[in-house]
């Protein structure tokens, strides 16, 4: 079954809560991810559950944040500009949906792995949901909403 295209990625969040809304700007795009470390050519997942999100602050700046679910405190809060970063799938990783956030202006890279839930009957290598979120993430960074517009730069179903 497919989801309604009228739903935004914001509606897909499993982490929305009244307390989170008061803590800061509402995420435009967000999804469950863990962090990974790269040693040599090997990516190793960290066990901590988290959330990668894009928010827009009151001053119009776009923030990419990674928040540990257990603490609710952002571990990373990075201000990004259009065409400065890109989130890509690491296709060489065969046993998970690994991603790399890389900067076009430097060699900096941060690795993540998807912690999105799978439907009971879905194949373990069915990453259509992640592909949709990844595309929305990159569109939102490169085409941020006009500040104060109520934002849904992604505005895609999922």
């Amino acid at each position: 079954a497919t989801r309604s295209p009228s739903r935004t990625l914001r509606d897909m969040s499993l982490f929305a809560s009244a307390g989170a809304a008061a803590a800061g700007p509402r995420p435009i795009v967000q999804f469950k991810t863990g962090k990974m470390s790269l040693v040599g050519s090997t990516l190793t997942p960290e066990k901590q559950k988290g959330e990668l999100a894009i928010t827009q602050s009151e001053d119009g700046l776009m923030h990419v944040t990674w928040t540990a679910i257990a603490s609710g405190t952002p571990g990373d809060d990075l201000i990004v500009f259009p065409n400065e970063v890109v989130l890509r799938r690491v296709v060489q990783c065969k046993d998970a949906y690994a991603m790399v956030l890389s900067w076009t202006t430097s060699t900096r890279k941060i690795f993540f792995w998807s912690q999105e839930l799978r439907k009971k009957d879905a194949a373990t290598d069915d990453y259509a949901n992640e592909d949709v979120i990844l595309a929305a993430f990159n569109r939102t960074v490169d085409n941020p909403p006009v500040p104060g517009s109520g934002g849904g730069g992604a505005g895609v179903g999922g």
Side-chain angles (χ1 to χ4, degrees):
T2 59
R3 295 184 196 164
S4 167
S6 64
R7 290 182 60 199
T8 66
L9 289 173
R10 189 178 300 171
D11 297 332
M12 294 171 49
S13 169
L14 298 176
F15 301 104
S17 69
R26 187 172 175 180
I28 299 167
V29 177
Q30 66 187 50
F31 59 110
K32 296 191 320 184
T33 63
K35 287 183 125 184
M36 299 183 90
S37 55
L38 178 66
V39 178
S41 62
T42 303
L43 282 172
T44 304
E46 297 174 12
K47 293 182 182 183
Q48 195 170 28
K49 293 182 179 186
E51 173 186 67
L52 187 63
I54 299 175
T55 60
Q56 187 174 42
S57 56
E58 289 181 17
D59 57 11
L61 293 174
M62 298 300 289
H63 294 254
V64 173
T65 60
W66 184 84
T67 304
I69 298 302
S71 68
T73 304
D76 293 309
D77 185 349
L78 310 162
I79 295 174
V80 297
F81 297 96
N83 303 307
E84 181 184 31
V85 296
V86 64
L87 187 64
R88 291 188 183 101
R89 181 173 181 191
V90 179
V91 294
Q92 296 88 344
C93 183
K94 301 297 182 196
D95 53 353
Y97 191 95
M99 298 158 280
V100 58
L101 181 67
S102 57
W103 276 252
T104 59
T105 55
S106 72
T107 59
R108 183 175 186 187
K109 294 178 181 178
I110 303 174
F111 294 91
F112 302 95
W113 61 283
S114 175
Q115 295 177 337
E116 287 292 312
L117 296 175
R118 299 267 172 260
K119 290 185 178 181
K120 191 173 188 177
D121 58 347
T124 57
D125 61 349
D126 177 9
Y127 297 117
N129 187 46
E130 284 87 344
D131 290 338
V132 168
I133 295 170
L134 205 71
F137 183 99
N138 289 318
R139 273 194 313 273
T140 301
V141 168
D142 291 342
N143 301 294
V146 175
S149 69
V156 294

